[in-house]
Amino acid sequence: MSVMGKPILYSYWRSSCSWRVRIALNLKEIPYEIKPISLVKGGGEHHSNEFREINPMEQVPALHIDNHTLIESLNILLYLEETRPHRPLMPADPVKRARVREICEVIAAGIQPLQNLIVLVYVGEERKKEWAQHWITRGFTAVEKLLSSSAGKYCVGDEITLADCCLVPQIFNARRFHVDLRPFPTILRVDRNLENHPAFTAAHPNNQPDCPPEATK
Amino acid sequence: MSVMGKPILYSYWRSSCSWRVRIALNLKEIPYEIKPISLVKGGGEHHSNEFREINPMEQVPALHIDNHTLIESLNILLYLEETRPHRPLMPADPVKRARVREICEVIAAGIQPLQNLIVLVYVGEERKKEWAQHWITRGFTAVEKLLSSSAGKYCVGDEITLADCCLVPQIFNARRFHVDLRPFPTILRVDRNLENHPAFTAAHPNNQPDCPPEATK
């Protein structure tokens, strides 16, 4: 692999954490290749010995970039921001940066880990829908409150930030689990302002090379 | 409250996320006041209307600093690092910074959210011990693998970083849930190298103002 080769994103079409990174790469206009890792085929390619060497957490995303493989989506977003300042996705002011990161972290630590696939499998078929709804609703209640003081057109003010890269995929998951989104008008407003943005559209699960044709019908 | 007043940390003695921030404040020699928030008294002071205004996620820590209240522990750690570069807790090299953040994020998003108090209450008494052990063991398996290539005396090389602020409290939780730590020799080595460090000792649950006397017996 050449030093200057395109970054390789290990991604699954419906993974909200992979989606966060796809959005950021698109916004920053960083060309990249997708290496699809199926979370369902044969019990999940993320559990293979080969992929465990790439990410010992056995999950997507992982990003091979600058001759290193990085894991954990917020970490990857911050690495891109530190090394590719083109089209910044973080404000310059330290308090505003904190506002962006706290929305990211509520989603990435407070919501998504509780409703991801491996946890729902462990929770069991009977309880999984109610479980996912419970934790997404709890987290979105906090996000709505945070956005009520930070949001302009987007999560923090009128510029797209890493918080938007995290929020949009989480809204998709909320809809997938039939969460009632009516109590979250600010979340819905930000979502509407981003739904036709080309960087977000191109990163959408339905537009991924590994999206099964039946999913988009 | 004066502009130059000491930062106020909303903290609970046994909260591992509060503990992360206590360590960083101590390492950076930032004087602070603790405002204890009991997670048990009267169903939990973190669920009060008053505290919900401080943190809509209804959890500790929160840090009042520079006339703003910040939530989410990794966010707070990064804010301290950005605004108080004294005694840095992050390397300068971007790839090494990523190595620190990925250890932090495996713990803060991949382990702790699945074994925290509110989740265990929701899981139920019968299953909670096995549940906590399962997710801590899974996460520590990944952390051990990451440390096997990054660790020197501490998590990443021979300087204390934010990764150490996250790891030590998680080891305490692992012991609390009787996780078998023998498969994790590098984690245990880093822990031994930090157990007598004054900044870590002062931040230990047993040395908090709200630690009940019976807990230290």
Side-chain angles (χ1 to χ4, degrees), chain A residues 20 52-53 55-59 66 68-76 78-80 82-83 90 93-95 97-103 105-106 108-111 113-114 116 118-119 122-124 127 130-131 134-135 138-139 141-143 145-146, chain B residues 20 52-53 55-59 66 68-76 78-80 82-83 90 93-95 97-103 105-106 108-111 113-114 116 118-119 122-124 127 130-131 134-135 138-139 141-143 145-146:
Chain A
R20 294 170 192 161
R52 195 181 300 117
E53 289 299 311
N55 185 349
M57 279 297 273
E58 303 179 27
Q59 60 195 19
D66 302 337
H68 295 276
T69 302
L70 308 182
I71 65 167
E72 295 294 322
S73 63
L74 292 192
N75 171 48
I76 294 170
L78 291 169
Y79 179 85
L80 293 175
E82 289 187 356
T83 59
M90 284 290 272
D93 173 69
V95 173
R97 294 168 70 84
R99 293 292 169 240
V100 171
R101 283 191 308 256
E102 64 195 11
I103 295 164
E105 200 174 337
V106 166
I111 304 178
L114 289 161
N116 76 12
I118 54 161
V119 171
Y122 205 69
V123 165
R127 209 181 163 188
E130 168 265 329
W131 174 278
H134 174 83
W135 297 109
R138 169 180 179 261
T141 303
V143 171
K145 175 83 177 157
L146 295 172
Chain B
R20 294 171 193 159
R52 196 181 299 117
E53 290 299 311
N55 185 351
M57 278 297 272
E58 303 179 27
Q59 60 194 19
D66 302 337
H68 295 276
T69 302
L70 308 182
I71 64 167
E72 295 294 323
S73 63
L74 292 193
N75 171 49
I76 293 171
L78 291 169
Y79 179 85
L80 293 174
E82 289 187 357
T83 59
M90 284 290 271
D93 172 70
V95 173
R97 294 167 72 82
R99 294 291 169 241
V100 170
R101 284 191 308 257
E102 64 194 12
I103 296 163
E105 199 174 339
V106 165
I111 304 178
L114 289 160
N116 77 12
I118 56 163
V119 171
Y122 206 68
V123 165
R127 210 183 163 188
E130 168 264 330
W131 174 279
H134 175 82
W135 297 110
R138 170 181 178 262
T141 303
V143 171
K145 174 83 176 158
L146 295 172

Side-chain angles (χ1 to χ4, degrees), chain B residues 146-193:
Chain B
L146 295 172
L147 294 187
S148 72
S149 63
S150 71
K153 198 171 168 191
Y154 307 119
C155 282
V156 179
D158 293 322
E159 302 292 336
I160 294 175
T161 65
L162 298 181
D164 301 295
C165 300
C166 293
L167 182 62
V168 167
Q170 188 60 59
I171 298 169
F172 178 90
N173 282 355
R175 291 198 170 107
R176 206 176 135 210
F177 292 113
H178 305 285
V179 170
D180 180 4
L181 293 176
R182 286 171 299 180
F184 311 121
T186 321
I187 290 175
L188 289 172
R189 175 167 60 81
V190 170
D191 188 46
R192 278 194 306 275
N193 290 337

Side-chain angles (χ1 to χ4, degrees), chain A residues 4 18 20 47 81 90 98 128 143 168 172 174 182-183 201 212:
Chain A
M4 298 300 291
S18 303
R20 294 170 192 161
H47 295 312
E81 190 62 16
M90 284 290 272
K128 77 178 193 187
V143 171
V168 167
F172 177 91
R182 287 171 298 181
T201 307

